[in-house]
């Protein structure tokens, strides 16, 4: 398996624009997680899915952020409108078993810069 | 909710020496404690984990210890090598979520 795939790897956009980050989890994994990493706040869980259903989105910072998982092999994280403070590295991770007690496999991340 | 603290934030050691990173967690219900290594430009990767029914686990040069009573757990790396240089994250698991510590930047000086 190619591992967790994320696209794009880098995204530069202007404030107010819509940004869509994409993730393909490892085939067969039931759980998918979206994280945000910044120097100030570290690695934060934004939302996670089990079998394509959002389970906990309490980490989503505000209504500008939304995430979907239309099928088992694809998820998106959308920011609309984007703001400079959204600049961060966004990671997608997946795992096979109970999400919290099993290895999480992280993708390479998307580095987002909002000007 | 769970809160994980980690110390030190940066650590420099000479090649061949040992490195120790310590973490504490707040919720006694947490039962799974993974450690992740993140190299520059990459996503975190699991290096070792320990469950609440175990006090110690070792894998070659890496070992983890867990003190449930004190809610402390530690990572020990022996005979450090330059390729061990990275950011290390401890984490605690509760209710299907993993809460990460702030990370320790380890530098191994050749």
């Amino acid at each position: 398996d190619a591992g967790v795939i994320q696209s794009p790897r880098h995204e530069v956009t202007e404030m107010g624009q819509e940004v869509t980050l994409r993730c393909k989890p490892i085939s067969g994994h039931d759980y998918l997680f979206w994280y945000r990493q910044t120097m100030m706040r570290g690695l934060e869980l934004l939302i996670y899915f089990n079998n394509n259903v959002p389970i906990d989105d309490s980490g989503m910072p505000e209504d500008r952020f939304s995430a979907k998982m239309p099928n088992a092999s694809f998820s998106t994280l959308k920011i609309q409108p984007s703001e400079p403070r959204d600049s961060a590295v966004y990671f997608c991770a997946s795992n096979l078993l109970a999400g919290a007690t099993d290895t999480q496999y992280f993708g390479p991340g998307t580095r987002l810069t909002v000007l | 909710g769970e809160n994980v603290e980690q110390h030190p934030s940066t650590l420099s050691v000479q090649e061949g020496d040992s490195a120790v990173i310590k973490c504490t967690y707040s919720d006694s219900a947490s039962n799974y404690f993974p450690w992740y290594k993140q190299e520059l430009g990459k996503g975190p990767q699991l290096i070792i984990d320990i469950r609440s029914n175990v006090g110690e686990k070792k894998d070659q040069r890496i070992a983890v210890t867990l003190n449930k009573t004190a809610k402390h757990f530690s990572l020990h790396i022996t005979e450090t090598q330059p390729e061990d240089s990275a950011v290390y994250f401890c984490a605690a698991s509760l209710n299907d979520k993993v809460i990460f510590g702030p990370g320790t930047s380890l530098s191994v000086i050749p």
Side-chain angles (χ1 to χ4, degrees), chain A residues 9 31 33 35 37 42-43 45 48 50 55-56 58 91 98-108, chain B residues 31-32 34 36 38 41-46 49 51 87 89 93-102:
Chain A
R9 291 296 311 277
Y31 284 78
F33 303 80
Y35 290 91
Q37 186 175 40
L43 201 57
L45 176 65
Y48 77 96
N50 180 21
I55 302 301
D56 188 333
S58 60
F91 288 102
T101 56
D102 184 31
T103 305
Q104 292 197 14
Y105 295 86
F106 283 78
Chain B
N31 57 4
Y32 174 64
Y36 286 81
Q38 185 177 23
K42 297 184 179 180
Q45 182 176 12
L46 182 79
D49 56 13
R51 300 184 187 274
V87 178
F89 294 93
S93 162
L94 179 64
N95 296 334
D96 262 1
K97 294 196 295 188
V98 177
I99 306 300
F100 287 85

